[in-house]
Amino acid sequence: LTEGNYIDTDRSFNYFANIFASYQITDDLKFRLNVGPELRFQRSNDFRGTESTTGRGGQNRASKFNQARTSYTVENLLYYDKTFSNEHKLGATLLFSVQDIQNEENNISVRDIPSETQTFNNLGVAAPENRNVSSKLDKERWTSSMARVNYAYQDKYLIELIGRYDGSSKLSAGNKWGFFPSGSLGWRINREAFLINSKLVNNL
């Protein structure tokens, strides 16, 4: 946006993808690899001259901001599915995943630039006492392991057990890891003999 004594420009670039590959090891065992890269770059330039609404005849202001964010996620999955005697169905999933995130930012803002024609393209000409410079770098990593087991008898009685072990570099020392178990039971009542031909209930 350029209007009179006011210039504001923003540029950004975003890229993300979901890349995967799978391999059938045996009839019952399959491996899958998921990779998710993400890139984000942003640049902002801002200038408010003395005659702008912000300046109001006082000091001009200018700033530059740059951000670079990169991340990727890698998931390794192993699936097992097997049916025994047409009545017992067993399934299992193993997961190991890693996510890395890095965010870098640089920002400089100044006031009272001697020559307004330079706008935000030569911020170093501002007096040292009129400059504000900051930068930061954040890094974090998430790691997860998971095991899930499913069992079904005659496709009517269902059991699922899950255990997750997750860790994060963002958490405090001594508390970076946690174990999270869960489970469930299911009963498909509509598959019982007294409902299997029901016209009122088709799924329960």
Side-chain angles (χ1 to χ4, degrees):
L1 174 65
T2 301
E3 184 176 326
N5 227 207
Y6 169 34
I7 303 174
D8 184 6
T9 62
D10 291 300
R11 297 288 185 272
S12 62
F13 170 81
N14 292 280
Y15 168 82
F16 64 92
N18 183 19
I19 305 166
F20 70 91
S22 62
Y23 178 69
Q24 195 74 35
I25 302 172
T26 67
D27 291 340
D28 311 314
L29 195 63
K30 183 176 75 172
F31 173 77
R32 180 183 171 108
L33 174 67
N34 298 325
V35 180
E38 182 178 356
L39 303 173
R40 179 182 179 184
F41 302 100
Q42 182 179 354
R43 183 185 68 184
S44 298
N45 297 319
D46 186 274
F47 173 73
R48 314 291 175 99
T50 56
E51 297 179 4
S52 66
T53 303
T54 305
R56 297 183 179 180
Q59 293 180 332
N60 54 50
R61 300 172 184 271
S63 64
K64 276 183 174 288
F65 172 78
N66 292 283
Q67 179 192 43
R69 176 185 170 91
T70 59
S71 70
Y72 69 86
T73 303
V74 178
E75 295 179 334
N76 298 274
L77 292 140
L78 192 64
Y79 300 98
Y80 175 79
D81 287 291
K82 182 76 173 179
T83 300
F84 303 90
S85 304
N86 294 322
E87 290 189 336
H88 307 274
K89 186 176 182 180
L90 180 64
T93 303
L94 298 177
L95 162 74
F96 177 74
S97 68
V98 174
Q99 182 183 29
D100 271 347
I101 303 172
Q102 178 172 299
N103 185 63
E104 184 176 1
E105 296 180 5
N106 298 288
N107 185 56
I108 178 171
S109 60
V110 304
R111 54 186 173 86
D112 199 19
I113 299 175
S115 174
E116 292 197 352
T117 58
Q118 296 175 325
T119 62
F120 43 70
N121 293 314
N122 190 7
L123 302 184
V125 299
E129 63 271 17
N130 292 337
R131 300 178 202 161
N132 184 19
V133 180
S134 64
S135 63
K136 71 175 184 177
L137 175 64
D138 292 325
K139 293 182 179 181
E140 58 184 282
R141 166 170 282 201
W142 300 77
T143 304
S144 298
S145 300
M146 185 273 294
R148 178 174 61 207
V149 178
N150 298 281
Y151 171 74
Y153 175 65
Q154 293 184 346
D155 207 24
K156 292 190 293 186
Y157 312 113
L158 315 172
I159 299 175
E160 183 179 68
L161 300 174
I162 302 174
R164 291 190 63 97
Y165 190 57
D166 298 324
S168 171
S169 63
K170 301 289 284 186
L171 300 177
S172 61
N175 296 287
K176 293 185 178 297
W177 293 90
F179 178 67
F180 306 94
S182 64
S184 65
L185 298 174
W187 179 23
R188 289 179 174 160
I189 307 174
N190 61 290
R191 292 186 179 272
E192 297 290 355
F194 58 85
L195 276 180
I196 198 166
N197 294 318
S198 171
K199 296 182 180 179
L200 180 64
V201 178
N202 60 11
N203 189 24
L204 179 64

